[in-house]
Amino acid sequence: MQQSGGTPSFLRNFLVKLCLFCLLVIVTRFAYVVTLRGELCDHGDFCFFSLPENINVVVGIRKRAKPSSAIISINGKSAPSMPKKLPELWATEGFQKSVRFYSSIFQDLISEGFLSPSYKILCVETQTGADVFALKEIGVEDSIGIFKKAFKPLVISGQGFKQPFKNDTFDFVFSGGGMIEKSSKLVDFAMEISRTLKPEGFLVVHTAAKDEYSLNSFLDLFHFCKLVKTRDIDGIDSNMPLIREIVMKKVSGYGNIEQIIGQEMGSQSVDCSVPGYKQELVHKAEPLIEEEPKKPWITLKKNLQNIKYLPSMADISFKQRYVYVDVGARSYGSSIVSWFKKQYPKQNKTFEIYAIEADKTFYDDYKYKKGVTLLPYAAWVRNETLFFEINNQDPSHKNVKKGRGMGRIQPVQSSGSSSSSGDVDEIQGFDLAEWLKNSVSERDYVVMKMDVEGTEFDLIPRLFETGAICLIDEIFLECHYNRWQKCCPGERTSKYQRTYGQCFDLFTSLRDSGVLVHQWW
């Protein structure tokens, strides 16, 4: 009796399990359909399944079922908007996250009137084309990206500084991911955008640099555009957590390379005023030393640790060139190697170096030094022949070759001066201010170190008079005065007549004028 009663119970349990299994199959199928076909993963954070990286399906692809005229090949012919087999990258979460981010950015730009679905769009230096993908998703079909390695159909081969397009091709140019400041040819980059962007077209750039110095450097570089707006937004990932979005509009009449080159070669204005954003950096600099140091050679070492270098306060990425001018350079191993190359924070930029040195003793030292241009002249206020007293007998400069600062030449009235205590030599002097104006521009980043044995009281006023002071971003100045001697306690040097107070006034006047100057010994 008990055996016959167990059969229906077993059958019931089997049917219940079968029903549960069938229900599980139905639920699984439903989840698959909702996840992959219903675009749940594309429009929210909740998913039944995460998409495998090797799947050849891209969510939301229905909007691009038809070919797009935006995919432009180098020869000018249209390319199909979708490949037969979709790239696996498009199905990854990272790519789709980027697409959602750029979709939000572009929709904001559309709502503000800077972007239109009818525009022809170029995305510059986009490796995978997530920004192009996003444009197409929101209905901006006529869009294409360029990168040095093509990733078709969204990205074709090309670079920001060498674009494969005709003049005045695009209504809108976008550069995201902080790629623009990584370009090694920023000037060419800017010129190419000027060439391919239509007049009244918009340029939008995403950069990680957020300080005012970098913004103004950027505006100087893209001077063919006017600033429309900037805003700070959250980045897409930890590599770029905060982004400054810069929106600019190309000014009508600009666009050809000849115009830009003509402006680059135009003469510098004589009058200049240091802009406010540079003056703000002066306020952040280390304080000047008001009290005369009894041991300046020790003060130098301490002061080096306190210096607030400009690149430690601001991003210098948006400069067209980087130049270091060492006035009174002495040997190559002096301040160029021992200080500038080792200690100055260059933000991975390559600097052109100019060594200005009047003493023939050091000329051979520069013969085989790459990246350094020697100017074998004396920095002066005009072009003329000068007579210098070679004075190596100062006990504070026993080893001229290895010591700091020139410490051995002084300008004299004439070759027959009776006050000379050493040999007199003749050398060609040149107008430092005019040379600077002909060699660099306001779009360059210029650092200067000046150690000129007292002639700083002639050169600094000349830099102001000509406006050349505005071309210098940061200056390290050694001011020469009758300081206490290391060799002889209680004695001042007789080489210089100026006092420390006069030197302090010189530094103060420079900073009051907005010049970022540091005390140097």
Side-chain angles (χ1 to χ4, degrees):
M1 295 293 295
Q2 293 177 357
Q3 292 180 354
S4 62
T7 300
S9 177
F10 172 80
L11 183 60
R12 254 192 326 270
N13 291 337
F14 174 78
L15 291 175
V16 169
K17 292 179 179 179
L18 180 62
C19 290
L20 291 174
F21 177 77
C22 292
L23 181 61
L24 179 62
V25 171
I26 294 172
V27 170
T28 302
R29 176 61 179 169
F30 173 80
Y32 172 80
V33 171
V34 171
T35 301
L36 294 185
R37 302 301 181 184
E39 302 180 24
L40 187 58
C41 288
D42 189 47
H43 297 291
D45 295 329
F46 175 76
C47 282
F48 284 98
F49 299 101
S50 60
L51 295 179
E53 292 188 357
N54 60 349
I55 192 167
N56 289 321
V57 174
V58 178
V59 181
I61 209 70
R62 68 181 188 276
K63 293 182 181 179
R64 291 187 310 284
K66 61 181 181 179
S68 171
S69 60
I71 309 301
I72 307 170
S73 61
I74 296 178
N75 59 13
K77 297 180 180 179
S78 297
S81 62
M82 293 300 300
K84 294 181 179 179
K85 183 179 180 180
L86 304 179
E88 294 180 358
L89 174 67
W90 290 5
T92 63
E93 176 58 26
F95 184 85
Q96 293 194 35
K97 181 180 179 181
S98 297
V99 170
R100 291 193 292 270
F101 171 78
Y102 287 121
S103 292
S104 174
I105 294 297
F106 293 137
Q107 289 180 38
D108 288 345
L109 292 170
I110 288 176
S111 66
E112 293 175 295
F114 304 131
L115 179 61
S116 169
S118 63
Y119 280 178
K120 185 182 289 291
I121 313 295
L122 173 65
C123 296
V124 184
E125 302 293 351
T126 173
Q127 187 171 1
T128 62
D131 41 6
V132 182
F133 194 109
L135 284 165
K136 293 178 178 296
E137 280 288 281
I138 63 174
V140 186
E141 292 287 337
D142 206 355
S143 53
I144 188 63
I146 57 171
F147 193 69
K148 58 184 177 182
K149 184 178 180 181
F151 190 78
K152 294 182 178 181
L154 301 178
V155 181
I156 66 171
S157 179
Q159 291 180 279
F161 58 82
K162 192 175 182 181
Q163 300 178 18
F165 308 109
K166 296 180 180 179
N167 296 349
D168 301 334
T169 298
F170 299 100
D171 303 286
F172 186 101
V173 175
F174 176 75
S175 177
M179 294 298 292
I180 190 168
E181 57 250 52
K182 298 175 184 177
S183 175
S184 61
K185 299 181 179 180
L186 268 176
V187 177
D188 295 335
F189 194 111
M191 291 172 65
E192 278 294 83
I193 290 180
S194 173
R195 183 181 65 82
T196 59
L197 183 63
K198 294 179 180 178
E200 305 300 319
F202 288 98
L203 167 65
V204 177
V205 172
H206 283 181
T207 172
K210 297 181 64 178
D211 58 273
E212 290 305 302
Y213 182 91
S214 64
L215 174 61
N216 282 274
S217 298
F218 178 90
L219 299 179
D220 286 342
L221 191 66
F222 292 85
H223 54 89
F224 53 88
C225 289
K226 63 179 181 181
L227 178 65
V228 177
K229 63 167 287 187
T230 67
R231 67 166 180 163
D232 296 331
I233 57 179
D234 293 331
I236 189 172
D237 52 37
S238 59
N239 293 327
M240 200 172 174
L242 296 174
I243 294 174
R244 166 178 274 177
E245 182 177 82
I246 304 173
V247 181
M248 305 186 75
K249 187 175 184 179
K250 183 177 175 181
V251 178
S252 296
Y254 265 99
N256 61 73
I257 295 177
E258 288 75 15
Q259 284 178 313
I260 297 177
I261 293 178
Q263 191 172 94
E264 292 284 349
M265 298 301 292
S267 59
Q268 298 280 355
S269 173
V270 173
D271 298 323
C272 78
S273 59
V274 179
Y277 68 92
K278 284 189 176 181
Q279 295 181 21
E280 287 298 319
L281 294 174
V282 173
H283 297 152
K284 298 178 182 179
E286 75 284 354
L288 296 172
I289 301 172
E290 295 186 27
E291 185 177 351
E292 178 186 354
K294 294 183 178 180
K295 297 180 179 180
W297 53 91
I298 295 178
T299 303
L300 168 65
K301 295 181 180 179
K302 293 182 179 179
N303 194 53
L304 277 174
Q305 300 173 356
N306 298 326
I307 288 178
K308 297 284 187 67
Y309 295 101
L310 194 157
S312 68
M313 298 185 286
D315 193 309
I316 63 173
S317 297
F318 296 118
K319 290 293 185 178
Q320 65 178 4
R321 290 168 61 215
Y322 301 87
V323 180
Y324 172 57
V325 182
D326 196 327
V327 188
R330 306 192 71 244
S331 68
Y332 176 72
S334 184
S335 55
I336 293 177
V337 170
S338 64
W339 169 69
F340 183 75
K341 288 203 167 190
K342 290 184 178 180
Q343 298 184 45
Y344 190 81
K346 293 177 278 294
Q347 293 188 6
N348 296 320
K349 305 299 181 183
T350 300
F351 278 71
E352 302 172 33
I353 299 177
Y354 291 90
I356 300 175
E357 178 52 54
D359 194 337
K360 300 175 182 178
T361 305
F362 303 106
Y363 290 177
D364 289 343
D365 204 28
Y366 291 93
K367 280 186 177 180
Y368 306 105
K369 299 299 185 290
K370 295 182 179 179
V372 181
T373 301
L374 172 65
L375 300 180
Y377 312 107
W380 191 232
V381 296
R382 52 188 168 270
N383 300 325
E384 64 178 356
T385 301
L386 299 174
F387 296 98
F388 281 92
E389 179 183 350
I390 310 300
N391 187 351
N392 292 334
Q393 299 176 6
D394 189 327
S396 65
H397 297 87
K398 292 181 180 179
N399 193 327
V400 176
K401 183 85 173 180
K402 296 182 180 179
R404 288 195 68 262
M406 293 197 300
R408 75 282 177 205
I409 63 175
Q410 302 179 62
V412 296
Q413 292 291 330
S414 66
S415 61
S417 174
S418 58
S419 62
S420 299
S421 60
D423 297 330
V424 175
D425 200 2
E426 179 182 309
I427 197 168
Q428 181 64 41
F430 76 106
D431 191 330
L432 175 65
E434 287 301 322
W435 172 82
L436 198 63
K437 292 176 65 177
N438 292 327
S439 302
V440 299
S441 75
E442 292 180 352
R443 299 190 188 101
D444 299 328
Y445 181 77
V446 181
V447 181
M448 178 179 288
K449 189 225 78 180
M450 183 181 289
D451 178 5
V452 288
E453 299 304 303
T455 54
E456 60 268 14
F457 286 96
D458 300 291
L459 294 178
I460 295 298
R462 174 66 175 166
L463 291 173
F464 274 101
E465 174 190 334
T466 59
I469 194 70
C470 290
L471 301 174
I472 304 173
D473 291 88
E474 190 168 22
I475 182 169
F476 298 81
L477 174 64
E478 177 171 355
C479 186
H480 297 79
Y481 63 97
N482 57 344
R483 65 183 184 180
W484 300 109
Q485 296 190 61
K486 184 177 182 180
C487 67
C488 313
E491 294 185 19
R492 291 183 180 273
T493 178
S494 60
K495 289 178 61 177
Y496 310 107
Q497 301 303 312
R498 302 280 183 172
T499 65
Y500 184 80
Q502 289 174 301
C503 283
F504 185 79
D505 290 342
L506 179 62
F507 283 111
T508 302
S509 65
L510 281 165
R511 286 202 173 180
D512 288 345
S513 300
V515 179
L516 182 59
V517 63
H518 307 280
Q519 288 171 298
W520 202 250
W521 276 276

